[in-house]
């Protein structure tokens, strides 16, 4: 009974400390920025965000460690991220972002560079849809036994973020393959002639 009461109180406290989180996808093409913007900050908070990155996208772990805008936050990725794999060979993974909010900051912004993966060519569509689900946001709280625990909190809009990525048109593949082969052959012939002419000039 006491445990249920404790969790109920923690839930009410988490709701009473709700903040506002605005999310946007900035940029165009295959390279975007996931913007997380916090406002209505009434007190200092230790927060943890769990954001699922869909199979259609990825974040580069090495890029995150050197990004200036992320120097004040800690980011953890438990899975190995292969930045070369296409969408149909990839799986979604979780990005965990922990940081501190203070009431002295009216707005706290976090910009995370994300990249969209290549998709399979399509016979009908020129673009594929990419969906970023709403994140889970947790604040650190002290339980009745004085242990620290992460408690999920509300933050306003929980809709998905949507964007699109261009995909190849599969009926064009034979034409593209033929063009690639002809270009390779033409370049090989030009390179052979250039090397032969250069060698002949040196011997002369």
């Amino acid at each position: 009974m006491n445990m249920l009461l404790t969790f109920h109180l923690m839930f009410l406290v988490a709701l009473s400390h709700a903040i506002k989180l605005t999310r946007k996808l900035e940029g165009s093409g295959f390279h975007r920025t996931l913007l997380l913007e916090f406002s209505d900050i009434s007190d200092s908070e230790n927060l943890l965000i769990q954001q699922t990155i869909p199979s259609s996208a990825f974040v580069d772990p090495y890029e995150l460690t050197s990004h200036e805008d992320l120097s004040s936050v800690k980011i953890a990725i438990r899975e190995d991220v292969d930045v070369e794999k296409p969408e149909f060979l990839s799986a979604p993974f979780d990005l965990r972002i922990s940081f501190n909010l203070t009431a002295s900051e009216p707005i706290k912004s976090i910009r995370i560079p994300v990249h969209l993966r290549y998709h399979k060519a399509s016979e009908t569509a020129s673009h594929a849809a990419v969906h970023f689900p709403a994140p889970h946001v947790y604040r650190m709280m002290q339980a009745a036994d004085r242990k620290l625990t992460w408690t999920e909190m509300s933050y306003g809009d929980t809709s998905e973020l949507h964007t699109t990525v261009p995909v190849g048109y599969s009926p064009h593949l034979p034409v593209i393959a033929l063009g690639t082969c002809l270009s390779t052959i033409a370049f090989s012939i030009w390179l052979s002639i250039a090397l032969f002419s250069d060698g002949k000039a040196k011997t002369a």
Side-chain angles (χ1 to χ4, degrees):
M1 183 64 181
N2 289 336
M3 184 176 294
L4 290 175
L5 180 60
T6 299
F7 280 114
H8 180 67
L9 290 174
M10 290 173 62
F11 178 74
L12 291 178
V13 171
L15 287 179
S16 65
H17 286 75
I19 58 175
K20 181 179 179 181
L21 170 58
T22 303
R23 298 170 295 120
K24 296 178 183 177
L25 271 176
E26 299 179 333
S28 60
F30 286 89
H31 307 289
R32 309 291 184 90
T33 298
L34 175 60
L35 172 63
L36 305 174
E37 196 168 74
F38 297 86
S39 56
D40 294 345
I41 305 167
S42 59
D43 198 2
S44 295
E45 304 275 6
N46 289 319
L47 296 187
L48 171 67
I49 300 176
Q50 181 174 307
Q51 172 68 61
T52 298
I53 304 298
S55 60
S56 303
F58 70 90
V59 294
D60 187 339
Y62 298 102
E63 185 179 15
L64 294 179
T65 58
S66 60
H67 204 279
E68 293 182 1
D69 291 343
L70 301 175
S71 58
S72 61
V73 303
K74 294 181 179 179
I75 298 181
I77 304 174
R78 294 182 179 178
E79 298 85 353
D80 292 330
V81 179
D82 190 331
V83 301
E84 302 293 338
K85 281 187 176 181
E87 178 272 337
F88 52 89
L89 295 178
S90 303
F93 63 93
D94 287 334
L95 194 67
R96 292 174 174 84
I97 311 163
S98 56
F99 57 96
N100 179 257
L101 283 181
T102 61
S104 61
E105 293 181 279
I107 297 178
K108 171 74 172 182
S109 298
I110 298 175
R111 286 179 167 83
I112 301 171
V114 297
H115 310 278
L116 305 183
R117 295 185 185 273
Y118 291 102
H119 287 58
K120 277 186 176 180
S122 171
E123 294 183 356
T124 57
S126 61
H127 289 74
V130 180
H131 308 287
F132 287 81
H136 295 280
V137 179
Y138 303 88
R139 69 184 297 263
M140 184 174 287
M141 297 183 63
Q142 192 173 59
D145 57 2
R146 305 193 67 79
K147 289 183 178 179
L148 295 176
T149 183
W150 292 106
T151 304
E152 189 163 6
M153 64 187 300
S154 60
Y155 56 83
D157 183 17
T158 57
S159 58
E160 291 186 336
L161 292 179
H162 305 278
T163 188
T164 59
V165 60
V167 297
Y169 185 49
S170 55
H172 289 168
L173 291 179
V175 177
I176 295 173
L178 178 61
T180 302
C181 290
L182 292 176
S183 299
T184 303
I185 293 172
F187 177 77
S188 299
I189 294 174
W190 174 83
L191 183 62
S192 299
I193 293 175
L195 291 175
F196 178 77
S197 299
D198 183 61
K200 191 174 182 180
K202 288 181 178 179
T203 55

